[in-house]
Amino acid sequence: MLSLYGVPLRSRLLLGTARYPSPAILARAIEASRAQVVTVSLRRESAGGATGGTFLESIASPGVRILPNTAGCHGVSEAVLTARMAREVFSTNWVKLEVIGHHGTLQPDVFALVEAARILTQEGFEVFPYTTGDLVVAEKLVEAGCRVLMPWCAPIGSAAGPTDPAALRAMRAHFPDVPLIVDAGIGRPSHAAAVMELGFDAVLLNTAVAAAADPVSMARAFADAVEAGRAGFSAGLLEPRDMAVPSTPLIGKAVFS
């Protein structure tokens, strides 16, 4: 069972809540995904307002935990202030920390990310940092107090899938005891299965489900893919070989004379 900051979770799929056609479809997608954690942007939704109230009602469930995020923040002070506001609004110390450094790629500003993470962990936040596959940055985030890492596999919303599997594999090997959640860039259920087969602990995605022609069915497909990828990793996958290996034993082969 997955454990994030001491919270046990049966599902290894975390779901974003932006860009859905309607709150009703979002609610059905969450149910189909079997996700127990959903991310919510404080910038996009006003929890106390008319729209925010309806939105929160659509995702409210006894088995679903909210992970507020700092999406759209571009600096340390902005991200820290947003996290503090989110804690007040959603009554949780969890925060998905995003500090965007580049408008085109939405790549995180890793220097600001580490600084913001250090401030927030010292204030008692349990930080889920959205980062790159850079091992040095990841080490700095762990030193700053992060007990979960969320490396991307491709730019946000690109649907490109794991563009650098070697980096993800290195991340897994370097942090065997830190929960790793792939965040951003996943476009297809096969992408989710692939990163889970690398030994990652969970997947967080949004656009691939929200922008699908049938978000509810796509949410179900991703849930199945994440479970299949995890089951494959746990069962022990064969490593690729350069040479052919016969699947039928040669011993006992019939000989004609």
Side-chain angles (χ1 to χ4, degrees):
M1 180 176 288
L2 176 64
S3 177
L4 300 177
Y5 286 108
V7 176
L9 300 166
R10 294 186 304 278
S11 173
R12 294 176 181 272
L13 175 60
L14 290 70
L15 200 63
T17 55
R19 303 183 59 183
Y20 283 83
S22 71
I25 292 177
L26 167 61
R28 291 173 55 202
I30 293 173
E31 182 179 4
S33 74
R34 306 191 285 278
Q36 294 177 284
V37 177
V38 297
T39 63
V40 176
S41 171
L42 184 64
R43 280 175 163 264
R44 185 176 62 83
E45 300 293 342
S46 172
T51 303
T54 302
F55 169 77
L56 288 179
E57 289 174 2
S58 69
I59 64 174
S61 169
V64 175
R65 187 181 182 111
I66 291 177
L67 173 60
N69 67 60
T70 61
C73 293
H74 288 77
V76 174
S77 59
E78 186 182 18
V80 169
L81 175 61
T82 302
R84 290 169 178 165
M85 293 172 62
R87 178 159 63 179
E88 294 299 319
V89 171
F90 298 107
S91 301
T92 176
N93 285 331
W94 280 18
V95 64
K96 179 193 168 191
L97 182 61
E98 294 184 30
V99 186
I100 301 302
H102 190 273
H103 292 281
T105 63
L106 299 182
Q107 182 169 345
D109 178 341
V110 294
F111 304 100
L113 179 70
V114 172
E115 183 178 350
R118 183 171 291 108
I119 294 171
L120 292 173
T121 56
Q122 289 175 351
E123 294 183 6
F125 281 90
E126 294 173 321
V127 179
F128 295 66
Y130 161 62
T131 184
T132 65
D134 190 302
L135 293 179
V136 177
V137 174
E139 286 183 339
K140 296 295 183 185
L141 288 168
V142 172
E143 291 172 5
C146 297
R147 291 161 53 197
V148 173
L149 295 172
M150 304 184 75
W152 69 354
C153 74
I156 292 174
S158 67
T163 56
D164 191 353
L168 297 177
R169 196 176 290 112
M171 182 76 77
R172 179 70 286 173
H174 198 70
F175 298 100
D177 301 322
V178 177
L180 299 179
I181 304 172
V182 167
D183 178 17
I186 288 180
R188 302 183 178 191
S190 59
H191 296 161
V195 297
M196 293 301 293
E197 288 177 355
L198 292 176
F200 275 70
D201 296 284
V203 168
L204 192 157
L205 54 91
N206 187 157
T207 308
V209 171
D214 184 344
V216 177
S217 295
M218 188 61 78
R220 187 175 300 110
F222 269 106
D224 292 343
V226 168
E227 290 186 2
R230 180 66 183 182
F233 171 76
S234 299
L237 297 163
L238 285 179
E239 294 299 324
R241 300 176 179 178
D242 294 329
M243 301 297 292
V245 178
S247 56
T248 303
L250 297 178
I251 298 176
K253 181 180 179 180
V255 177
F256 295 96
S257 59

